[in-house]
Amino acid sequence: MIEQHRQFFNHAFSKEKYKAFLDDIASDFDYLPTFRIAETPLFITDKLKQQLLEGCQQVIDFIQRPDFNELTEKAVEVNFNVPNQDAHTQFLAIDFGICEEDGEIVPKLIEVQGFPSVFNFQFNMFEKLKKAYPFLEDFNPYLEGLDANGYYDKFKETVLNGHSPKEVVLLEIEPEKQNTKIDFYYCKRDLGIPYLCVTEIIKHGKKLFYKDASGKEIQIKRIYNRVIFDELVTRTDLPMQFSFLEELDVEWAGHPNWFTRISKFILPYLKGPYFNETTLLSDLQEIPEDLENYVLKPLFSFSGSGVIFHVQKSDVEAVKEKDLYVLQRKAHYAPILQALEGRVKAEVRILGVWPEKDSQPTLIGNLVRLSRGEMIGVKFNKDKDWVGGTIGLFEKEK
């Protein structure tokens, strides 16, 4: 059936429909994202869906180990140990390359993040996609039996945790300069929470405040955190009234520690059919002879920064902080998607949320990145890659 869906979509596609789809997105805020939005969704088979869910559950099982904090303590020691860490992350983004192994299609874990992704944009993008292609009403990008309302209700519950939207802020570094700012726009529109730069936060004692449109100070009860510490530490020019390392009277929707604990740091611990061999450089007994089959990655980078795809022995030897890098066997992406012009590789990010009251995270949706390059998300090529630009669809149960 998937091949039939692909042929049907390709037949229905036109440049005029694609432009109308993009124009529809741009019309909401008179703005179109700077990242490339794909012309097509990815149709996902039931078998691949189940494999993705199995791989995610194995990651979740590891995160829920009683000794997880102990195993990942070094991650916060070498970065920033922010006070008042809560019991678990509120967000999961689990990335799988769609690969070929022994002639079979299989997802392989590329990365996992205890950090939010573009939850708001993905929801709205699918609604726009359905308007362009009404037959997509028969498909669903959501998981665990959710529909569009269920997806957004669960996300809203996670972000707000019962607070009034005006008491919750989306926090970023210069949000209007971020490539993902369209997600902030949708978040403000749909949830009613403001997005703020870290420089706009006012501190009185242990409490944080911001000024609303009338100039009134509003206490911040909860922070929907989108700040990446990699960027924050380089921005010594930012005039901030508070520090993340202070004791603050505020809740976190995405406590900063989870970004480092749930990261490439845990990849060496994960074993099984959905995980590629990954070794911490400090644990490496000898440098493999076939380095062409490996990728060298810093543990705590974002969006592929610092990754060396064509690894040389000198690259490995040059790393001084060997407990901050991993050597990971390459994922052999399969050109799974038949586009109008050739075949395209895919990476599926499963999106999860985990409200404080829940005993388990809920996997609610997905994001798909497509590429004709040799590796997705590394050395982004605007002519070959769609970074965050589409969605995976599952056939609805009849």
Side-chain angles (χ1 to χ4, degrees), residues 50 86 133 170 180 210:
Q50 291 308 313
D86 45 11
Y133 301 95
L170 186 160
T180 54
Y210 73 97

Side-chain angles (χ1 to χ4, degrees), residues 163-176:
H163 293 287
S164 167
K166 70 178 184 180
E167 298 173 329
V168 181
V169 301
L170 186 160
L171 194 61
E172 242 296 8
I173 298 168
E174 298 181 325
E176 286 290 349

Side-chain angles (χ1 to χ4, degrees), residues 2 24 48 67 72 74 94 99 110 132 146 149 154-155 161 163 193 210 224 230 237 260 283 336 357 370:
I2 296 300
D24 196 12
L48 180 55
D67 60 348
T72 58
K74 190 172 185 179
I94 309 175
C99 300
I110 303 301
L146 297 176
N149 290 332
K154 201 69 179 174
F155 175 69
N161 195 33
H163 293 287
I193 70 174
Y210 73 97
Y224 176 31
D230 276 17
D237 60 312
T260 50
D283 293 337
I336 191 173
K357 67 176 182 57
L370 302 175

Side-chain angles (χ1 to χ4, degrees), residues 267-298:
L267 296 183
Y269 294 98
L270 299 171
K271 311 295 181 185
Y274 305 122
F275 311 118
N276 281 330
E277 170 198 336
T278 307
T279 307
L280 199 65
L281 284 197
S282 57
D283 293 337
L284 193 66
Q285 298 299 313
E286 59 181 2
I287 298 175
E289 294 293 331
D290 58 337
L291 278 176
E292 68 276 8
N293 293 318
Y294 290 84
V295 181
L296 183 62
K297 296 181 176 183

